[in-house]
């Protein structure tokens, strides 16, 4: 059978001032019709360069310096412009990480879908419109007529990603490239998108190249896996063999970076060091500087090639001469998980949120039934004690970021109070808050690129933050504190002289964390600080947040959809849905034994061993304050009760574990 994609000995380089940077070296891969292959590895290992090379999107400074890429027997490099245009989109389609970057904000969804269909097939405009609506139905978007008439900004992240997948599949391509398609999605939306990709691959026999740093997703989606490091494939095999019996130390290290959502005693392990630049590659294994099992005279053998795994009956290939390494039986994590020492009965109450409510007026759908009120928060209560880590979890749209904005003074409360040091900070915008409160409440944002000033060096930004928040310090003390902050986030002093664009994603997030601690804050609000990071950097930042919080004695309010990181970091978990608190309690109790159907659904989406509940699709509309907001999706709803009556707060045991659910109350009354 002719493979859909056949890559042979591919090398990709980029021209930089005064030098040529090697991104991919001697890479080979074949994908058969209907086969799903995962490409995994840290940022900078060459995954996206391979996808861009396949599409011939490398840009002016990128070049294929060696090897060949064949699509259905055709050499992609030999295709003329018109033939290449037909292959792009028609034969090979690509789904990008950020759907907003792939969609035109000035055109409706329908117009873009129809344009794509017309460009890749001799069909009428009416047929193209019908095909577009059928494509939206294929990706399980309801009310396709309304979706077609909306603009990209009027859809959620999950809807946008489905639209991009529908657009890619309209011409029925033979090969679909997916470059980190679920990075910014929460657990349940991510699960539905991944299930959808699998269904479509099976239905249309579409070959998939799934690029991701989420090893769990790749394991659940792909038939085969290729692990990359520093531009080379270091391990290739079936998903079962690679993930259950990794033979390259790098693959094993990546797997250890994944914390377990139910684990109570182990920390995620970061991989020490960083990927070397191409000018630093030594002889032999490129992973050698970071490898626990490195041996001089063995691992520095030149021209190390992929070879069949020892005693393997499968096509499991490994680029390692020490395939029979054995992991030590008793490895000590860099930071062991330390259970909370916070005694809420005696510790200082730092923050108290009482009956917090916030409603927005949504005018984006005026043409689809008029403007409407969107309830972002509805009677939310929570507390944060000194030294406590409180995690707020839930899907996109549950109200997490609105809560963070109110805490930081970017939005004002509509009803209720946010008390810090006996001051209702929810009624004060950031610019109107006294310096003492601005110093005490600091934030780490999701994307450090949006918060670091590109025109200022790192050291300048840290010193400015220190001078603003601690004006009594002398210049020498400010400089000393900036150096100490860099050291505390494990960055060398020379980083102070670097520009933000010279840093990796993980380094930028470390700088953002250092700046948040510049004024010795009492509470840090961290809004999705891990979502844009690969698995090894995410493990390092998780450990860093824990150690910084512990060393500085600050409280941490963590907003995240990464339940594994939440389990390791948090003392208390608050589960939000539709602006209401569904479940609240100690992290071990909430995550290991979730009692609310919504929490069980979140945990089930993370592929952990809890009863998995499938959401309902019933069109049940609940007005604010009249019933449970989760009722339209709840598989265990009680008809006539859940949609009409607000759920009671039920306390479970003696661990301050509580849920808002009629089901528990009804079961107790029986």
């Amino acid at each position: 059978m002719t493979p859909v994609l056949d890559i042979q000995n591919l090398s990709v380089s980029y021209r930089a001032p005064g030098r040529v940077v090697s991104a991919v070296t001697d890479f080979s891969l074949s994908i058969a019709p209907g086969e799903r292959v995962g490409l995994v590895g840290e940022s900078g290992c060459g995954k996206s360069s391979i996808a861009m090379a396949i599409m011939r999107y490398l840009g002016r400074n990128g070049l294929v310096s060696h090897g060949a890429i064949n699509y259905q027997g055709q050499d992609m490099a030999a295709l003329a412009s018109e033939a290449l245009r037909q292959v792009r989109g028609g034969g090979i389609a690509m789904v990008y990480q950020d759907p907003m970057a792939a969609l035109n904000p000035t055109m409706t969804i329908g117009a873009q879908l129809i344009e794509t269909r017309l460009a890749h097939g001799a069909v009428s405009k009416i047929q193209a419109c019908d095909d577009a609506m059928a494509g939206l139905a294929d990706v399980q978007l309801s009310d396709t007529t309304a979706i077609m008439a909306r603009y990209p900004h009027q859809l959620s992240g999950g809807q946008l990603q489905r639209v991009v997948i529908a657009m890619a599949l309209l011409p029925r391509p033979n090969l679909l490239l997916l470059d980190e398609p679920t990075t910014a999605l929460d657990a349940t939306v991510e699960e539905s998108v991944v299930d959808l990709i699998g269904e479509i691959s099976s239905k249309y026999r579409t070959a998939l190249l799934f690029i991701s740093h989420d090893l769990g997703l790749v394991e659940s989606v792909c038939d085969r896996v290729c692990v990359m490091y520093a531009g080379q494939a270091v391990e290739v095999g079936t998903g079962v063999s690679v993930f259950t019996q990794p033979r390259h130390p790098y693959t094993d290290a990546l797997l250890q970076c994944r914390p377990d959502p139910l684990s109570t005693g182990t920390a995620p392990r970061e991989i020490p060091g960083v990927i070397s630049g191409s000018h630093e590659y030594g002889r032999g294994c490129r992973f050698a500087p970071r490898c626990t099992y490195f041996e001089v005279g063995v691992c520095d053998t030149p021209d190390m090639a992929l070879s069949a795994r020892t005693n393997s009956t499968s096509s499991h290939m490994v680029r390692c001469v020490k395939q029979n390494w054995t992991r030590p039986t008793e490895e000590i994590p860099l930071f062991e998980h330390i259970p909370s020492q916070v005694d809420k009965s005696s510790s200082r109450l730092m923050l108290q949120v009482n009956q917090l409510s916030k409603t927005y007026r949504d005018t984006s759908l005026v043409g689809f039934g008029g403007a409407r009120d969107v309830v972002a928060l509805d009677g939310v209560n929570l507390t944060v004690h000194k030294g406590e880590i409180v995690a707020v979890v839930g899907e996109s749209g549950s109200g997490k970021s609105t809560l963070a904005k109110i805490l930081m003074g970017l939005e004002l409360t509509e009803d209720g109070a946010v008390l810090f040091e006996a001051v209702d900070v929810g009624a004060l915008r950031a610019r109107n808050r006294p310096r003492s409160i601005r110093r005490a409440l600091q934030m780490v944002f999701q994307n450090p690129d949006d918060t670091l000033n590109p025109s200022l060096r790192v050291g300048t930004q840290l010193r400015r933050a220190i001078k603003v928040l601690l004006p009594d310090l002398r210049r020498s003390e400010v400089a000393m504190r900036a150096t100490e902050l860099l050291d505390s986030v494990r960055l060398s002093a020379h980083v102070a002289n670097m520009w933000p664009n010279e840093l990796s994603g993980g380094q930028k997030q470390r700088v953002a964390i250092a700046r948040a601690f510049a004024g010795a804050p009492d509470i840090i609000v961290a809004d999705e600080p891990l979502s844009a990071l690969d698995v090894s950097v995410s493990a390092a930042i998780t450990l860093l947040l824990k150690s910084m919080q512990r060393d500085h004695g600050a409280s941490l309010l963590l907003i995240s959809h990464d339940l594994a990181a939440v389990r390791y970091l948090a003392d208390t978990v608050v589960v939000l849905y539709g602006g209401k608190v569904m479940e609240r309690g100690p992290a071990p109790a909430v995550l290991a034994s979730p009692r609310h159907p919504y929490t069980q659904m979140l945990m089930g989406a993370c592929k952990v061993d809890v009863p998995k509940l499938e959401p309902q699709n019933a069109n049940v509309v609940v007005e604010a304050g009249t019933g449970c907001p989760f009722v339209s999706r709840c598989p265990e709803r009680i008809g006539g009760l859940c949609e009409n009556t607000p759920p009671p707060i039920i306390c479970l045991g003696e661990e301050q574990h509580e849920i808002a659910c009629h089901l528990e109350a009804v079961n107790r009354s029986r």
Side-chain angles (χ1 to χ4, degrees):
M1 183 183 296
T2 302
V4 176
L5 179 70
D6 185 26
I7 303 174
Q8 292 296 327
N9 307 114
L10 176 69
S11 293
V12 176
S13 301
Y14 293 93
R15 300 182 188 92
R19 60 194 176 104
V20 175
V21 179
S22 174
V24 179
T25 306
D26 194 29
F27 178 85
S28 298
L29 179 71
S30 291
I31 306 179
E35 188 179 21
R36 294 174 280 189
V37 177
L39 202 56
V40 302
E42 295 171 283
S43 297
C45 70
K47 306 187 302 295
S48 293
S49 289
I50 290 172
M52 294 297 108
I54 293 170
M55 299 292 287
R56 283 179 54 181
Y57 280 153
L58 285 173
R60 292 184 178 180
N61 68 326
L63 70 153
V64 174
S65 53
H66 186 263
I69 301 171
N70 295 303
Y71 164 70
Q72 291 191 327
Q74 303 176 82
D75 184 353
M76 290 290 291
L79 293 179
S81 58
E82 179 58 27
L84 179 62
R85 190 182 73 83
Q86 290 301 321
V87 169
R88 288 173 175 165
I92 306 175
M94 190 162 180
V95 176
Y96 297 89
Q97 180 174 345
D98 181 7
M100 282 299 289
L103 294 171
N104 189 329
T106 66
M107 294 174 64
T108 64
I109 298 298
Q112 296 184 63
L113 291 171
I114 292 170
E115 181 182 67
T116 300
R117 185 69 185 96
L118 291 173
H120 296 285
V123 297
S124 66
K125 193 167 184 179
I126 294 176
Q127 183 61 51
C129 182
D130 291 342
D131 290 348
M133 295 184 71
L136 292 176
D138 273 348
V139 296
Q140 300 169 15
L141 282 171
S142 58
D143 199 2
T144 55
T145 302
I147 295 290
M148 292 273 285
R150 293 177 186 173
Y151 289 87
H153 72 275
Q154 295 173 319
L155 302 180
S156 69
Q159 289 175 316
L160 286 173
Q161 198 61 282
R162 288 169 185 263
V163 167
V164 170
I165 293 172
M167 182 179 293
L169 291 170
L170 270 180
R172 295 290 178 260
N174 300 303
L175 174 64
L176 184 60
L177 310 180
L178 300 117
D179 190 3
E180 303 281 8
T182 62
T183 296
L185 304 180
D186 56 59
T188 53
V189 177
E190 178 183 83
E191 183 192 32
S192 63
V193 169
V194 168
D195 289 345
L196 171 66
I197 290 169
E199 291 171 9
I200 288 172
S201 174
S202 300
K203 181 177 180 180
Y204 297 113
R205 294 280 294 162
T206 305
L208 298 181
L209 181 62
F210 191 92
I211 299 172
S212 180
H213 59 244
D214 190 323
L215 303 182
L217 282 183
V218 172
E219 186 176 8
S220 64
V221 170
C222 298
D223 309 311
R224 285 194 297 131
V225 177
C226 175
V227 182
M228 291 196 67
Y229 183 80
Q232 290 183 327
V234 296
E235 188 159 6
V236 182
T238 65
V240 173
S241 63
V242 170
F243 287 120
T244 60
Q245 295 179 306
R247 285 293 87 200
H248 197 286
Y250 177 61
T251 308
D252 185 61
L254 283 178
L255 292 170
Q256 291 188 70
C257 289
R258 297 189 297 175
D260 183 350
L262 300 182
S263 172
T264 59
T266 57
R269 301 167 192 259
E270 64 176 305
I271 305 175
V274 295
I275 296 178
S276 302
S278 60
H279 62 287
E280 299 175 301
Y281 295 156
R283 294 167 39 139
C285 181
R286 295 182 178 181
F287 187 59
R290 307 171 70 187
C291 183
T292 306
Y293 312 101
F294 174 75
E295 184 178 343
V296 177
V298 177
C299 298
D300 50 5
T301 304
D303 301 323
M304 190 175 295
L306 279 169
S307 59
R309 198 188 93 194
T310 308
N311 300 324
S312 174
T313 57
S314 67
S315 55
H316 191 159
M317 308 291 287
V318 186
R319 195 186 296 270
C320 181
V321 296
K322 295 185 67 177
Q323 295 185 22
N324 295 320
W325 54 265
T326 303
R327 186 191 303 164
T329 55
E330 294 183 0
E331 289 188 1
I332 301 176
L334 184 60
F335 294 103
E336 292 185 0
H337 178 74
I338 301 176
S340 173
Q341 303 298 316
V342 176
D343 182 357
K344 294 184 180 181
S345 63
S346 59
S347 63
R348 178 183 170 195
L349 181 61
M350 301 297 298
L351 184 72
Q352 186 172 8
V353 177
N354 294 328
Q355 291 297 310
L356 179 61
S357 297
K358 180 71 176 181
T359 302
Y360 293 101
R361 187 68 174 169
D362 181 8
T363 58
S364 65
L365 302 178
V366 171
F368 307 98
R372 61 192 179 100
D373 289 334
V374 177
V375 178
L377 296 171
D378 186 6
V380 170
N381 295 307
L382 66 83
T383 58
V384 180
H385 289 75
K386 184 172 178 57
E388 184 182 17
I389 301 179
V390 177
V392 180
V393 303
E395 296 170 292
S396 298
S398 62
K400 308 187 302 295
S401 293
T402 299
L403 174 63
K405 289 177 182 178
I406 291 174
L407 293 177
M408 300 309 300
L410 304 177
E411 294 280 357
L412 298 179
T413 56
E414 179 180 287
D415 196 11
V418 180
L419 301 176
F420 175 78
E421 299 288 1
V423 177
D424 185 2
V425 296
L428 296 173
R429 289 200 177 272
R431 62 177 176 269
N432 298 326
R433 293 180 177 182
R435 189 196 306 270
S436 60
I437 290 180
R438 294 205 306 272
R439 178 204 62 78
L441 286 168
Q442 288 292 308
M443 188 164 185
V444 177
F445 293 88
Q446 178 174 353
N447 188 354
D449 282 318
D450 292 338
T451 58
L452 295 179
N453 190 327
S455 62
L456 295 177
R457 296 181 191 271
V458 168
T460 302
Q461 300 192 51
L462 289 177
R463 290 190 293 272
R464 288 182 68 178
I466 295 168
K467 285 188 286 187
V468 168
L469 298 172
L470 301 172
D472 295 335
L473 292 183
R474 296 190 298 270
R475 178 177 294 182
S476 60
E477 293 173 321
V478 169
M480 183 182 299
R481 182 165 180 80
T483 302
E484 290 172 348
L485 285 170
L486 285 176
D487 182 65
S488 67
V489 295
R490 299 173 185 81
L491 291 174
S492 57
H494 80 272
V495 172
N497 295 319
M498 298 176 69
W499 303 94
N501 66 356
E502 297 177 304
L503 305 179
S504 69
Q507 288 174 318
K508 290 175 186 177
Q509 196 63 290
R510 288 172 186 265
V511 172
I513 292 171
R515 190 175 62 179
F517 280 92
D522 296 312
I523 298 177
I524 294 287
V525 179
D527 188 6
E528 300 284 8
L530 309 173
S531 66
L533 305 177
D534 62 53
V535 63
S536 59
V537 177
S538 177
I541 298 299
T542 299
L543 296 168
L544 176 63
L545 279 173
K546 184 77 170 183
S547 64
M548 290 286 286
Q549 179 270 338
R550 187 174 60 203
D551 294 344
H552 291 259
S555 303
L556 178 64
L557 185 70
L558 174 67
I559 295 172
S560 180
H561 60 246
D562 186 342
L563 297 185
V566 165
R567 177 63 193 93
Y568 173 67
L569 287 169
D571 305 313
T572 302
V573 174
V574 178
V575 182
L576 280 182
Y577 182 82
K580 281 184 174 292
V581 176
M582 298 286 100
E583 188 161 2
R584 177 205 336 262
V590 173
L591 299 182
S593 302
R595 299 290 290 275
H596 195 283
Y598 177 59
T599 314
Q600 293 176 18
M601 187 180 296
L602 286 179
M603 295 301 295
C606 293
K607 307 294 190 297
V608 298
D609 188 19
V610 297
K612 184 172 179 178
L613 299 179
E614 297 296 335
Q616 298 294 305
N617 294 315
N619 186 23
V620 180
V621 179
V622 180
E623 296 182 5
T626 62
C628 176
F630 187 59
V631 63
S632 63
R633 300 172 65 192
C634 183
E636 300 187 38
R637 65 172 178 264
I638 303 170
L641 178 63
C642 294
E643 60 263 44
N644 298 320
T645 307
I649 306 298
I650 304 295
C651 295
L652 309 171
E654 300 178 357
E655 293 185 309
Q656 298 177 314
H657 186 180
E658 58 186 32
I659 64 173
C661 187
H662 287 291
L663 187 64
E664 189 75 22
V666 170
N667 288 339
R668 288 187 178 187
S669 65
R670 289 175 178 170

